[in-house]
Amino acid sequence: MVVKRGVNDHTIVPMARRFNGTGHIVRFIEFMDVGSSNGWRMDDVVPSAEVVRRIAAELPVEPVDANYFGEVAERWRYRDGSGEIGVISSVTQAFCRTCTRARLSTDGMLYTCLFAASGYDLRALLRGSASDRDIEDAIAGIWRARSDRYSEIRTAETAKSRKIEMSYIGG
């Protein structure tokens, strides 16, 4: 659930309550400035810490360790053992340094960040005579050289910069 202040933040606890005990894990995601079509403003962000506080006031929770390195959701389990929730805090608690995700668009562009302004063209390699090893080496080189830190340095100015629309790269 992408949480946006004044739009759906009043449904945080009802959403948690609805899926509590069902085996389904709800992830509450901070409203992010991906692309330019969603009209993002920092004032619309409900910090994940606030989401957890609201839920814990009615359904006590405790933190849970990550399942794997680079997991983007911070996990919380209900103290009564009835399930868990997760929060994704890409605005208030950036996780750029532990990011393990890349995206490949339908036109063969590799993006090393959800907030990227541009990608790396892999189509020529994929359509050319490059071996699997050549493609693997190219991707590894791109990943090693990446310096994406958008969420860590987010400001009013960076929020205005051109970004690839999230829907285009499968975010």
Side-chain angles (χ1 to χ4, degrees):
M1 173 181 165
V2 175
V3 182
K4 186 174 179 184
R5 190 172 305 285
V7 174
N8 66 347
D9 60 313
H10 65 284
T11 66
I12 293 169
V13 174
M15 182 70 79
R17 206 179 293 119
R18 163 64 182 91
F19 289 98
N20 184 5
T22 67
H24 297 288
I25 302 169
V26 179
R27 298 286 191 247
F28 296 91
I29 306 168
E30 292 178 343
F31 180 54
M32 296 180 284
D33 51 328
V34 291
S36 56
S37 63
N38 71 350
W40 185 85
R41 295 176 330 119
M42 186 64 185
D43 292 345
D44 294 331
V45 175
V46 178
S48 292
E50 181 179 334
V51 170
V52 171
R53 276 193 308 273
R54 288 188 194 188
I55 293 169
E58 293 193 34
L59 301 163
V61 294
E62 60 192 8
V64 180
D65 290 336
N67 281 318
Y68 55 88
F69 177 81
E71 184 173 26
V72 297
E74 185 179 282
R75 300 171 55 218
W76 296 82
R77 77 173 142 236
Y78 296 109
R79 286 189 180 156
D80 67 3
S82 61
E84 75 174 60
I85 60 164
V87 292
I88 299 176
S89 314
S90 71
V91 176
T92 62
Q93 296 175 8
F95 40 80
C96 299
R97 284 175 175 41
T98 59
C99 180
T100 60
R101 296 171 189 235
R103 290 168 172 82
L104 184 63
S105 67
T106 57
D107 61 354
M109 297 295 287
L110 178 71
Y111 295 90
T112 58
C113 181
L114 188 59
F115 301 100
S118 62
Y120 300 87
D121 186 6
L122 295 182
R123 183 171 36 193
L125 289 173
L126 295 168
R127 290 189 175 167
S129 59
S131 68
D132 288 351
R133 180 64 186 190
D134 293 337
I135 295 168
E136 181 182 327
D137 289 346
I139 293 170
I142 290 166
W143 192 258
R144 277 192 305 271
R146 77 186 200 66
S147 59
D148 308 308
R149 292 182 40 245
Y150 180 88
S151 289
E152 290 179 352
I153 60 173
R154 179 185 278 112
T155 66
E157 290 309 306
T158 56
K160 294 175 188 172
S161 29
R162 184 177 100 54
K163 293 178 277 306
I164 302 300
E165 292 293 328
M166 178 192 259
S167 59
Y168 177 72
I169 58 174

